[in-house]
Amino acid sequence: MLTYGCIRNCKLCMAKVDYRELTSKERQAALDSLAEMIVLLKDKKQAREFIDRLLTPSEVVMLARRIGIANLLVHGASYVTIQEKLKVGVSTIRTVDQWLDHAIRDYHTIRAEHKAKQRLERKRVRPRREPRGVGTIGYAYSFPFEKLFDLFIE
């Protein structure tokens, strides 16, 4: 259970919590709780209000910069260009690049499974074969980041 260190033991007073002191199960529960809240958001306005109330201005800037780094990496920018444009360190860029690499692999796996499921459903409905050569060619990173970027752009 997460405790916030308040003298009155209330959840309104959130003291800093060192994530390293939490068990893996507690960290997963916190992430699940946050993910559930994000999924409930209906539109950009609600998302902005949620982020504005949840995060400090510094955290918003930090998150927006990471998303900006991801956007620039997706569009082929070099580390040097990103460093100069966003005033971030190479280690931050490398961390985001590694995250993108893992996220893209996961995204492509999920997408391939989804396409296979769709093909099976189509075969059941009408047994027609698709012509050869049908497919899409995209960037090395073809993750739908536009939805994430819209949250931080007015």
Side-chain angles (χ1 to χ4, degrees), residues 59-77:
E59 291 168 332
V60 170
V61 169
M62 183 178 64
L63 184 58
R65 277 187 174 168
R66 288 183 181 209
I67 291 172
I69 292 167
N71 187 28
L72 290 170
L73 286 168
V74 164
H75 290 91

Side-chain angles (χ1 to χ4, degrees), residues 18-46:
D18 187 351
Y19 75 92
R20 293 169 292 211
E21 293 177 5
L22 301 175
T23 65
S24 176
K25 201 175 209 178
E26 289 172 327
R27 286 193 305 264
Q28 189 62 46
L31 180 60
D32 287 345
S33 177
L34 178 60
E36 287 171 13
M37 291 302 299
I38 290 171
V39 168
L40 294 175
L41 301 173
K42 295 178 184 172
D43 56 24
K44 183 178 176 178
K45 182 180 177 189
Q46 276 190 348

Side-chain angles (χ1 to χ4, degrees), residues 19-147:
Y19 75 92
R20 293 169 292 211
E21 293 177 5
L22 301 175
T23 65
S24 176
K25 201 175 209 178
E26 289 172 327
R27 286 193 305 264
Q28 189 62 46
L31 180 60
D32 287 345
S33 177
L34 178 60
E36 287 171 13
M37 291 302 299
I38 290 171
V39 168
L40 294 175
L41 301 173
K42 295 178 184 172
D43 56 24
K44 183 178 176 178
K45 182 180 177 189
Q46 276 190 348
R48 287 180 62 102
E49 288 174 2
F50 177 77
I51 290 169
D52 188 44
R53 291 181 182 148
L54 179 68
L55 303 175
T56 66
S58 175
E59 291 168 332
V60 170
V61 169
M62 183 178 64
L63 184 58
R65 277 187 174 168
R66 288 183 181 209
I67 291 172
I69 292 167
N71 187 28
L72 290 170
L73 286 168
V74 164
H75 290 91
S78 69
Y79 278 33
V80 173
T81 302
I82 296 169
Q83 204 174 7
E84 291 171 355
K85 188 170 187 173
L86 298 179
K87 309 292 188 238
V88 294
V90 173
S91 62
T92 303
I93 299 168
R94 189 177 304 116
T95 299
V96 173
D97 197 15
Q98 289 170 349
W99 170 79
L100 270 176
D101 188 42
H102 289 98
I104 297 307
R105 266 191 252 129
D106 294 344
Y107 171 71
H108 285 298
T109 301
I110 292 167
R111 187 171 179 215
E113 289 171 0
H114 180 68
K115 282 186 174 187
K117 185 178 176 182
Q118 282 182 329
R119 274 188 237 117
L120 278 174
E121 289 172 3
R122 269 190 257 136
K123 285 181 181 180
R124 287 184 203 146
V125 175
R126 53 185 163 172
R128 196 172 82 186
R129 296 173 74 185
E130 293 182 13
R132 288 182 137 177
V134 173
T136 59
I137 300 173
Y139 293 101
Y141 299 118
S142 57
F143 195 75
F145 288 102
E146 292 78 22
K147 291 180 183 178

Side-chain angles (χ1 to χ4, degrees), residues 1-15:
M1 182 164 108
L2 294 175
T3 56
Y4 299 104
C6 177
I7 296 170
R8 297 180 311 241
N9 200 20
C10 69
K11 292 186 179 182
L12 297 174
C13 306
M14 292 194 312

